[in-house]
Amino acid sequence: MGSDDARQVRCMMRDRAARAIAIVFAWAVCGSVWAQGVFELERIKPADSQNALMQMAGRRVHAAAADSSGLVDLPSSVSDRVAQLTVLVAGREAPFLVDFGEEATRLFADTNADGRLADEQPIALQTMDRTAGRVARSSGAAVETHAIAYRTLTIRAPGRSRGAMVTLGVDGWVQGRTQVFLSFYPGALMSGVVTLNGTAQTVALIDKNLDGRYDGFMKGPAAGLRLDCDAMGIDLDGNGHYGASRTGAEIFELGRLLRLGDEYYDIRPARDGATLTLKRAAPKMGTLDVGCPDLELTLQSAMGTAVLSSNGGTWRLPVGTYEIRGFALRLTGPDGVAWAVQGNGTQGGALSRFEIRRGRTTRITAGPPLTLAAQTTARGDAISINVDIVGRAGEHYRADVSRDGMTQPAPAFVVIDNSGAELVSGAFAYG
């Protein structure tokens, strides 16, 4: 795309006041109708890693340097200081090696997927000069720290995908000859344009699982960072960026269904990502009722990722098993002040995992009234006090409350004895 790279890259978070339902089922919501058909995509290699598409698919690894004399399977040209690390590629840990040479920092990758590095050639890593490096502290001593410039390399995918070629992007930083922090990304993406009510919209496919293919669907909900499937981006608002807003997400893991307006489509990317096929679908549906119109949910299933808001707290969803990935309670007081508390999928209570069945309503009452409790833990002479905010479904909200988008100071506390006399007072701290 050249100068059009800005259309595919940077993440912009936009806060919209619209209250419309926002559902993304590998999906993204818009109020217009897409024509079904086959869309052609082209291969794009971003110039750096500073875009939302690559960041959501990144793997970040850290390794400390060691004396190379006691290590095996090393290329003969390495120096006395090296760092061994592995990166998840196509579902398997692929070996890498960083060589902290006196003159240059080099990377060795298992490019032929044979599980060995002794037969590999070095890949130069360009670091910032000393005047640009920042100083870090390690064991009390000042250590020069330098950024590693972004570059790409090509390796063969291991495991069942062996034979497929994978383009990786890598950048990071090194700390003297002691530590390295690297980030690995898909080094290329497939991008194309579709027409939405006469308006050109950019879409992209990301080889998130790094298996050399673009058709890796989610097999079901999973906790934590997903690296077992591919991903997709849709520039819904046409601003030239892939990001997110209150009314929809523009980047999501690849699911089986795409919802556009009131219509559902089967989504079928080609194995090589050269085409994206949309075909009208009629999934079996059920209903989720959380009994709270002010609750926003981010859910995940084999169908994709669903971002739900408004609509009275009731939504029609395709049949399947769902897990919560995040939630937020947003309330506006009589004075117009907007308050919000948020939680994540690790403490979703009854919303953590549930079923949507055909023609039936799944009722999970959540949200206010909220219960505020203090949990204390004693360790010797020290006592820790944690504030716990719990909703009706047993979902736990973080204590960092926001007011008109600004996080409020942590609450204060007073500890009293049985007679009501103050023993100690202070303020909580986030973290």
Side-chain angles (χ1 to χ4, degrees):
M1 283 190 179
S3 61
D4 290 337
D5 280 350
R7 290 187 58 81
Q8 65 194 20
V9 291
R10 306 195 172 173
C11 177
M12 293 183 64
M13 300 295 297
R14 296 203 170 193
D15 188 25
R16 298 179 183 173
R19 299 283 294 168
I21 181 173
I23 302 182
V24 184
F25 260 107
W27 310 355
V29 171
C30 69
S32 306
V33 179
W34 290 34
Q36 60 184 347
V38 180
F39 303 95
E40 294 185 356
L41 308 180
E42 63 176 339
R43 183 179 174 86
I44 301 295
K45 293 181 69 173
D48 57 45
S49 65
Q50 300 308 304
N51 65 78
L53 294 170
M54 294 172 67
Q55 289 291 324
M56 69 94 69
R59 291 107 162 108
R60 292 162 180 83
V61 294
H62 161 249
D67 187 344
S68 63
S69 61
L71 304 177
V72 298
D73 185 37
L74 299 184
S76 59
S77 62
V78 298
S79 70
D80 61 328
R81 301 293 291 173
V82 298
Q84 294 177 307
L85 51 96
T86 60
V87 178
L88 191 65
V89 177
R92 293 198 177 186
E93 296 290 344
F96 289 81
L97 180 81
V98 175
D99 178 24
F100 296 89
E102 293 285 357
E103 301 297 328
T105 302
R106 304 183 301 171
L107 177 70
F108 290 85
D110 182 19
T111 59
N112 55 10
D114 65 354
R116 303 177 62 245
L117 295 173
D119 57 343
E120 299 294 346
Q121 297 299 311
I123 300 167
L125 296 178
Q126 180 183 354
T127 57
M128 295 168 58
D129 60 32
R130 285 187 174 272
T131 58
R134 63 185 185 274
V135 175
R137 289 275 171 182
S138 177
S139 301
V143 179
E144 198 77 18
T145 300
H146 299 283
I148 297 172
Y150 178 82
R151 65 156 299 158
T152 59
L153 60 141
T154 301
I155 68 172
R156 194 175 299 278
R160 65 179 181 83
S161 298
R162 187 170 181 177
M165 302 306 295
V166 180
T167 300
L168 298 177
V170 60
D171 60 17
W173 52 280
V174 291
Q175 185 173 310
R177 298 184 71 205
T178 62
Q179 298 185 80
V180 62
F181 299 80
L182 292 181
S183 295
F184 292 83
Y185 317 90
L189 55 88
M190 302 301 296
S191 180
V193 176
V194 299
T195 300
L196 176 59
N197 276 359
T199 302
Q201 298 286 343
T202 305
V203 299
L205 295 174
I206 319 298
D207 179 21
K208 187 177 181 182
N209 57 12
L210 299 180
D211 65 353
R213 301 172 53 163
Y214 294 85
D215 59 351
F217 292 103
M218 288 190 295
K219 295 178 175 61
L225 178 64
R226 298 201 68 134
L227 297 174
D228 61 347
C229 61
D230 293 324
M232 183 176 179
I234 303 178
D235 184 12
L236 289 174
D237 53 17
N239 69 349
H241 307 279
Y242 293 110
S245 71
R246 287 283 302 278
T247 57
E250 296 183 333
I251 306 173
F252 36 84
E253 280 92 0
L254 197 60
R256 295 285 179 179
L257 287 180
L258 177 68
R259 174 176 174 166
L260 302 168
D262 295 326
E263 302 292 339
Y264 288 90
Y265 294 85
D266 286 319
I267 180 170
R268 290 290 180 270
R271 175 173 176 167
D272 62 0
T275 60
L276 178 63
T277 301
L278 301 177
K279 184 178 180 180
R280 194 181 300 275
K284 298 175 182 178
M285 304 290 285
T287 300
L288 172 65
D289 184 355
V290 298
C292 177
D294 303 299
L295 196 62
E296 299 178 357
L297 306 176
T298 300
L299 308 175
Q300 199 165 73
S301 76
M303 296 296 101
T305 301
V307 181
L308 313 176
S309 67
S310 189
N311 210 49
T314 302
W315 302 276
R316 294 272 292 167
L317 300 173
V319 168
T321 300
Y322 290 80
E323 285 190 357
I324 195 164
R325 301 300 297 272
F327 51 95
L329 180 63
R330 303 182 189 276
L331 296 167
T332 300
D335 56 358
V337 175
W339 297 89
V341 289
Q342 301 185 54
N344 57 54
T346 61
Q347 294 183 305
L351 287 167
S352 296
R353 189 179 182 94
F354 58 89
E355 296 284 335
I356 294 295
R357 295 180 172 86
R358 183 180 184 182
R360 298 175 62 180
T361 297
T362 298
R363 289 185 172 86
I364 304 175
T365 304
L370 304 179
T371 300
L372 182 64
Q375 298 178 339
T376 60
T377 304
R379 291 189 179 91
D381 294 333
I383 298 177
S384 298
I385 305 175
N386 296 318
V387 175
D388 205 11
I389 304 174
V390 185
R392 289 182 293 171
E395 77 277 17
H396 289 245
Y397 298 86
R398 299 196 301 268
D400 49 333
V401 178
S402 69
R403 181 180 190 271
D404 287 336
M406 301 294 292
T407 300
Q408 297 302 287
F413 67 88
V414 176
V415 179
I416 60 176
D417 62 16
N418 291 335
S419 67
E422 180 179 321
L423 298 177
V424 66
S425 62
F428 290 99
Y430 294 130

